[in-house]
């Protein structure tokens, strides 16, 4: 349902929630999960702390909602690209996938740091068990990616390599470039390096 069709009160509620999550993201990224309090988040978002607790039970709950929401958004964008393999050229779909990972940049370096912390098991908040939920999403994405590689192997577009490991290799390469962007966006702009990533990866997996 579009937010435009929601009642005004519900739209206002969602706006407040988004502002609180944005404030939390900025603080978690700058100071680390354990060094941020609910009072600080409320103050950053310019809301009373009581308003914050209307949305989230505690800091752990807020963090879980923040990461899961963003991860689902990221993975949703990438899944939509992979779905096109049924009707479009497999190679074009894979190249579009590399470019689509630029969608991960829309939340900025702060969001990407937290996302990678979860998918790499380096969570700020291991107790939440959130890394398992995010990894489940990530494993599903890898399986979908591997299925497209498998289709490409069957169609003799890609070399007869293990589709799952091709998926792992592509994720490793693209994520390495995203890590570089996190460290120095001006020196390592991901979007400007999309063509390089495609050349480096597909030179190894395409049939000659």
């Amino acid at each position: 349902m579009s937010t435009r069709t929601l009642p005004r009160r519900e739209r206002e509620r969602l706006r407040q929630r988004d502002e609180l999550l944005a404030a939390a993201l900025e603080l978690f990224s700058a100071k680390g999960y354990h060094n941020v309090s609910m009072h600080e988040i409320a103050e950053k978002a310019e809301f009373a702390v009581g308003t914050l607790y209307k949305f989230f039970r505690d800091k752990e709950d807020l963090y879980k909602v923040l990461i899961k929401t963003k991860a689902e958004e990221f993975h949703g964008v990438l899944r939509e690209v992979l779905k096109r393999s049924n009707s479009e050229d497999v190679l074009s779909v894979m190249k579009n996938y590399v470019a689509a990972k630029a969608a991960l940049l829309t939340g900025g370096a702060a969001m990407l740091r937290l996302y990678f912390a979860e998918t790499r098991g380096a969570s700020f908040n291991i107790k939440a068990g959130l890394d398992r939920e995010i990894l489940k999403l990530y494993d599903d994405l890898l399986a979908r990616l591997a299925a497209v590689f498998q289709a490409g192997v069957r169609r003799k577009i890609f070399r007869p390599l293990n589709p799952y490991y091709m998926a792992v290799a592509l994720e490793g390469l693209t994520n390495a470039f995203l890590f570089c962007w996190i460290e120095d966006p001006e020196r390592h702009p991901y979007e400007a390096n999309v063509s390089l990533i495609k050349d480096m990866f597909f030179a190894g997996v395409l049939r000659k």
Side-chain angles (χ1 to χ4, degrees):
M1 180 185 292
S2 170
T3 55
R4 293 181 180 179
T5 63
L6 294 172
R8 181 185 60 78
R9 183 174 295 179
E10 184 61 19
R11 292 199 306 271
E12 178 63 18
R13 182 179 180 280
L14 290 175
R15 183 191 65 77
Q16 291 180 350
R17 178 180 178 273
D18 288 344
E19 289 182 10
L20 289 165
L21 289 173
L25 169 59
E26 188 174 338
L27 289 169
F28 287 152
S29 179
K31 302 176 65 174
Y33 173 85
H34 295 293
N35 298 317
V36 175
S37 70
M38 291 289 271
H39 284 276
E40 285 180 275
I41 295 169
E43 184 177 353
K44 179 74 175 177
E46 299 182 349
F47 286 104
V49 71
T51 302
L52 183 57
Y53 280 106
K54 287 181 181 179
F55 290 93
F56 312 103
R57 291 188 305 274
D58 49 32
K59 187 172 68 169
E60 186 174 294
D61 183 48
L62 187 158
Y63 179 80
K64 186 172 183 177
V65 170
L66 171 64
I67 299 299
K68 190 173 181 182
T69 299
K70 288 300 182 180
E72 287 173 345
E73 288 176 7
F74 294 161
H75 290 194
V77 169
L78 299 177
R79 282 197 303 269
E80 284 302 311
V81 174
L82 295 178
K83 281 182 182 177
R84 299 171 195 161
S85 62
N86 295 323
S87 57
E88 296 182 16
D89 171 62
V90 169
L91 180 57
S92 295
V93 169
M94 299 309 291
K95 289 183 175 180
N96 289 338
Y97 178 86
V98 174
K101 290 202 77 171
L104 297 174
L105 309 180
T106 58
M111 186 63 242
L112 206 51
R113 282 194 188 94
L114 295 183
Y115 172 78
F116 278 133
E118 292 297 341
T119 56
R120 294 295 178 272
S123 170
F124 284 132
N125 190 20
I126 298 297
K127 289 191 303 179
L130 182 60
D131 51 340
R132 290 191 296 275
E133 294 186 46
I134 303 302
L135 284 173
K136 186 176 180 181
L137 285 172
Y138 188 69
D139 286 344
D140 174 72
L141 186 66
L142 276 179
R144 291 170 185 265
L145 193 55
V148 179
F149 275 118
Q150 188 170 21
V153 171
R154 285 198 307 268
R155 298 175 197 176
K156 301 187 184 304
I157 296 171
F158 300 127
R159 294 168 58 197
L161 304 172
N162 183 304
Y164 178 78
Y165 291 128
M166 282 195 278
V168 169
L170 181 58
E171 279 297 284
L173 181 61
T174 52
N175 287 347
F177 274 83
L178 287 171
F179 272 121
C180 288
W181 176 84
I182 287 174
E183 295 304 316
D184 193 338
E186 292 187 8
R187 185 180 177 190
H188 305 292
Y190 181 85
E191 291 167 307
N193 285 319
V194 165
S195 294
L196 175 60
I197 296 169
K198 292 176 183 177
D199 289 343
M200 292 173 67
F201 181 79
F202 292 108
V205 300
L206 286 173
R207 280 182 175 267
K208 303 300 181 183

